[in-house]
C-alpha cells in the first residue's frame, strides 16, 4: 500500500532527542480495521530528565475513541497533556514551564490524536467534499498546533499530507478539498492533530519560560457527498457528514405530511376560487381575453 506518511508524526524540533512509543495509526500499517489512536508525552529536563507518569494513559488505540494524558516534572521544569478523540474529532490541551533558564533546559508537552478509516465507492463516481479544521488558543513562543490529512487508493495518492498550522498569530485554520471518487475504488484516509507546548532556554540565548496550547475547542474532519443520492459507508460506521443524521430521501412519515400539506393547500385554493356570475359559464371563465 502506497503511503510514506506516518499519522502521528511530531512536527516540533526538540532540543533533546527522545524515543517516543506511539500507537500504530498509519496507512502503511493499516490492517483492515478502522482505528483511533492517541499519544501524550512530557519530556526534557534541566540538571536531570523529566520524570513522566500517565494521566490516564500515555498511549491508546481503539476502534471507537481514545483518552490519553501525561504529567511530568524535573528540577524547575515540567508540564502536562490531556487529549481525547474519536473518528472525525480531536481535543488536546498541552502546557509546559521552565523556571531554570539554564543553558539547554527545556520542557516539552506534546499530545496527538489521529484516526485511520476507509470506504469503497459504489457503481458510480461521486463528488465528495473533505473539510479539515482546527482552532484554539495559544500562549508562549513554543505553542502551536498541526493537522495532517491523507487520502489514498491502493495505487494513487489523492490528498497527499494536506496540512494546517495554527499558533497565536493564526489561531484558526480550515481547508476544503473537492474530490471526485472513482466507482469501484477502495479509499483509505488518515487525519491527525497535534498540540505542542515547548518551554526552553535555546542555544541562541532566547528564554521561553512557559507555553500553553489549547486545542480542546475543536479539530474536525467532515466528509460530505455532493452527488445527489450518493452515499459512503465507512469502515468505522462513523457519520462524517457536516449534518449527521440528515437524509436526502424523505422518510415515510415525511411523505405523509407532505401529501397532507399539498392536499390542504389545494383545498384552500378551491375555497378561494371566484364563482362565476349568473351570465357566465365555467367555459367562459377559462376563455382567453382577446385584444
Amino acid at each position: 500500500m502506497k503511503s510514506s506518511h506516518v499519522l502521528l508524526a511530531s512536527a516540533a524540533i526538540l532540543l533533546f532527542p527522545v524515543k517516543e512509543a506511539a500507537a500504530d495509526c498509519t496507512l502503511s500499517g493499516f490492517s483492515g480495521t478502522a482505528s483511533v489512536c492517541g499519544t501524550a508525552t512530557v519530556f526534557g529536563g534541566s540538571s536531570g530528565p523529566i520524570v513522566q507518569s500517565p494521566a490516564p494513559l500515555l498511549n491508546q488505540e481503539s476502534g471507537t475513541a481514545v483518552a490519553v494524558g501525561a504529567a511530568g516534572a524535573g528540577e524547575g521544569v515540567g508540564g502536562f497533556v490531556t487529549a481525547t478523540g474519536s473518528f472525525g474529532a480531536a481535543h488536546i490541551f498541552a502546557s509546559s514551564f521552565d523556571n531554570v533558564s539554564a543553558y539547554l533546559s527545556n520542557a516539552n508537552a506534546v499530545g496527538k490524536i489521529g484516526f485511520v478509516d476507509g470506504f469503497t465507492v459504489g457503481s458510480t463516481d461521486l463528488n465528495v467534499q473533505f473539510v479539515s479544521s482546527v482552532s484554539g488558543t495559544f500562549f508562549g513562543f513554543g505553542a502551536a498546533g498541526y493537522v495532517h490529512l491523507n487520502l489514498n487508493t491502493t495505487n494513487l495518492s489523492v490528498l497527499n499530507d494536506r496540512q494546517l498550522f495554527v499558533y497565536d498569530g493564526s489561531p484558526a485554520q480550515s481547508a476544503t478539498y473537492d474530490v471526485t471518487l472513482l466507482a469501484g475504488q477502495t479509499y483509505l484516509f488518515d487525519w491527525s492533530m497535534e498540540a505542542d507546548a515547548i518551554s526552553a532556554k535555546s542555544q541562541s540565548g532566547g528564554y521561553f519560560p512557559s507555553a500553553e496550547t489549547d486545542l480542546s475547542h475543536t479539530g474536525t474532519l467532515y466528509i460530505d457527498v455532493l452527488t445527489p443520492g450518493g452515499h459512503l459507508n465507512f469502515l468505522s460506521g462513523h457519520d462524517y457528514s457536516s449534518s449527521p443524521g440528515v437524509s436526502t430521501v424523505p422518510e415515510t412519515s415525511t411523505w405523509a405530511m407532505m401529501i397532507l400539506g399539498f392536499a390542504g393547500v389545494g383545498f384552500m385554493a378551491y375555497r378561494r376560487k371566484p364563482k362565476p356570475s349568473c351570465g357566465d359559464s365555467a367555459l367562459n371563465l377559462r376563455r382567453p381575453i382577446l385584444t
Side-chain angles (χ1 to χ4, degrees):
M1 185 174 300
K2 182 180 179 181
S3 175
S4 60
H5 297 278
V6 177
L7 179 62
L8 297 179
S10 175
I13 298 175
L14 308 177
L15 295 176
F16 288 151
V18 58
K19 184 176 181 180
E20 176 188 343
D24 184 18
C25 269
T26 68
L27 283 181
S28 59
F30 186 71
S31 61
T33 302
S35 59
V36 183
C37 58
T39 65
T41 183
V42 178
F43 56 93
S46 53
S47 59
I50 286 178
V51 178
Q52 178 181 248
S53 60
L57 295 169
L58 297 179
N59 302 279
Q60 187 182 14
E61 182 174 359
S62 79
T64 54
V66 298
V68 295
E75 185 177 346
V77 294
F80 67 93
V81 182
T82 59
T84 61
S86 58
F87 293 106
H91 313 276
I92 309 174
F93 179 88
S95 177
S96 68
F97 66 90
D98 179 357
N99 293 332
V100 179
S101 73
Y103 179 61
L104 287 184
S105 64
N106 70 103
N108 304 263
V110 180
K112 309 170 189 177
I113 295 290
F115 52 85
V116 60
D117 207 343
F119 54 85
T120 298
V121 181
S123 59
T124 59
D125 295 352
L126 295 177
N127 294 322
V128 176
Q129 187 174 84
F130 288 72
V131 180
S132 178
S133 301
V134 60
S135 67
T137 57
F138 307 87
F139 174 78
F141 181 82
Y146 311 84
V147 166
H148 300 267
L149 171 64
N150 295 284
L151 173 67
N152 290 350
T153 67
T154 54
N155 56 8
L156 178 66
S157 178
V158 182
L159 297 176
N160 184 25
D161 196 22
R162 301 302 175 92
Q163 301 181 26
L164 302 176
F165 173 56
V166 285
Y167 59 103
D168 59 350
S170 179
Q173 289 286 324
S174 181
T176 300
Y177 310 103
D178 292 326
V179 178
T180 298
L181 304 177
L182 303 180
Q185 285 281 355
T186 296
Y187 291 82
L188 299 178
F189 62 93
D190 66 52
W191 181 96
S192 66
M193 183 172 79
E194 175 180 335
D196 292 352
I198 302 174
S199 303
K201 172 72 171 180
S202 73
Q203 295 180 6
S204 61
Y207 175 46
F208 314 107
S210 62
E212 181 178 287
T213 297
D214 187 355
L215 298 183
S216 59
H217 303 87
T218 180
T220 56
L221 175 66
Y222 292 122
I223 304 174
D224 288 311
V225 178
L226 305 181
T227 302
H231 69 281
L232 294 173
N233 293 320
F234 296 93
L235 292 173
S236 64
H238 178 72
D239 185 354
Y240 287 92
S241 65
S242 55
S243 301
V246 177
S247 174
T248 57
V249 179
E251 298 179 357
T252 304
S253 58
T254 305
W255 278 115
M257 292 299 293
M258 291 172 63
I259 292 171
L260 288 175
F262 287 136
V265 171
F267 178 74
M268 292 300 296
Y270 171 78
R271 291 288 302 272
R272 294 178 179 177
K273 183 177 180 180
K275 296 182 180 180
S277 61
C278 296
D280 291 329
S281 64
L283 182 60
N284 290 333
L285 289 176
R286 291 192 294 270
R287 187 177 300 162
I289 297 175
L290 301 178
T291 58

